[in-house]
Amino acid sequence: MARALPLILALAIGVAIGGAAAADGAISLSGVTVRVLEASGSVADKHSVTGPDARLRLSLDHTRTLEVKLTAALAGGDADFRPQQAFLRLTARGSGDAAYFAATKAKGGGLVVTAKHDELQKQVGTQPGTYDAALLVGDTRSAQPVEWALGEVKVLYPPQDDGSQPEAKPYRPLDATFRPKPEIVHQHRQPERRAPAVVSLFFSLVALAPLAAYVVAALRIGANLKGFPTGASFLPAAAFHAGLAAICALYLLFWLQLNLMQTLPILAILGVVTAVFGRITLQGAAAAAAAKPPQKQE
């Protein structure tokens, strides 16, 4: 057993090295032929592709079939190499949706891919227009897959009554659900026509008329400040009247500049402060009135 261990290790290393070398083998394509077949089986168009950047211009409608034949070889691999993955990809230029068609073994050797109109519609829906065709070949024994661009395929659907192509729509409702929605441009309603400036000024003066009447009456009668609290009650009374003045100023700012959400927090603070000092002022006035001696009646 001890003598066989080095032999087993040597075989394992050899297999690993051989597998790594096989994985580095490059895939090559040859005999790539692209044909467009009519419903009767006759060839409508045929091209031979010799490189990965072909620029074919093909046409596919509901009566035709697109066929691609190819032979794949692996450097350092078997002569009868068949890749694990070989597809023909058709990508719609408008939406980016792609349809894939798997290759099968051809009768005369090699691989063949057929793309029919109804199979394309099942994968990407009704999307007339130009598609980019590409040949994809890959295998685990090769570290580098192969992608050959074949050119463009113009897909046509049965025309409508006016001769135009049908509108593009996805095959599955979920595709329409998860597609990016068009950008919404919001438009505000046009503002209503405002009243003339003369009318606005007139009603503003009407609203200020009671205040003006109060000021005129106070000036004519004369302001009496003898009853204003003095001593320790002076500061609460002054703060109470200052709070009332601040609330009036806040109403003016709300009318000119502020909105409701800006006004309410300030009004809540001023209201609490004014109420507290008003209560203190009233308590002081009540205490002062109770301390006065009663007046003698004649």
Side-chain angles (χ1 to χ4, degrees), residues 223-248:
N224 184 10
L225 300 179
K226 294 181 180 180
F228 198 83
T230 58
S233 300
F234 174 78
L235 290 179
F240 170 67
H241 287 82
L244 293 177
I247 291 175
C248 293

Side-chain angles (χ1 to χ4, degrees), residues 112-197:
V112 61
V113 187
T114 57
K116 295 184 178 181
H117 194 275
D118 55 347
E119 296 176 357
L120 175 64
Q121 186 177 10
K122 287 181 180 180
Q123 295 191 44
V124 299
T126 304
Q127 295 193 45
T130 304
Y131 287 68
D132 292 321
L135 196 59
L136 309 177
V137 180
D139 196 280
T140 56
R141 290 166 287 181
S142 175
Q144 185 66 31
V146 175
E147 179 176 353
W148 278 24
L150 301 180
E152 62 181 38
V153 180
K154 188 175 183 180
V155 177
L156 301 175
Y157 284 81
Q160 298 179 340
D161 295 337
D162 58 355
S164 62
Q165 287 290 301
E167 183 181 357
K169 55 183 179 180
Y171 179 69
R172 298 176 300 175
L174 285 178
D175 294 339
T177 302
F178 293 105
R179 285 181 184 274
K181 301 299 180 182
E183 182 181 359
I184 299 176
V185 180
H186 184 71
Q187 294 183 353
H188 293 278
R189 187 180 65 177
Q190 294 296 330
E192 300 291 341
R193 184 179 178 183
R194 303 183 66 177

Side-chain angles (χ1 to χ4, degrees), residues 15 27 49 85 88 129 177 221 239 246 282 294:
V15 170
I27 298 176
V49 179
Q85 294 181 341
L88 172 65
T177 302
I221 297 174
L282 291 177

Side-chain angles (χ1 to χ4, degrees), residues 203-215:
F203 280 98
S204 298
L205 293 176
V206 171
L208 294 175
L211 180 60
Y214 169 76
V215 173

Side-chain angles (χ1 to χ4, degrees), residues 2-18:
R3 295 180 179 179
L5 184 59
L7 181 60
I8 295 174
L9 292 175
L11 290 175
I13 294 173
V15 170
I17 295 174

Side-chain angles (χ1 to χ4, degrees), residues 33-79:
T33 305
V34 181
R35 300 193 305 172
V36 178
L37 305 178
E38 298 285 358
S40 60
S42 60
V43 179
D45 198 0
K46 182 178 180 180
H47 300 274
S48 296
V49 179
T50 58
D53 191 16
R55 298 183 180 181
L56 305 180
R57 294 180 179 271
L58 308 172
S59 179
L60 179 65
D61 58 21
H62 64 288
T63 63
R64 292 181 172 183
T65 301
L66 179 63
E67 180 188 81
V68 180
K69 289 186 177 181
L70 67 145
T71 301
L74 180 65
D78 299 334

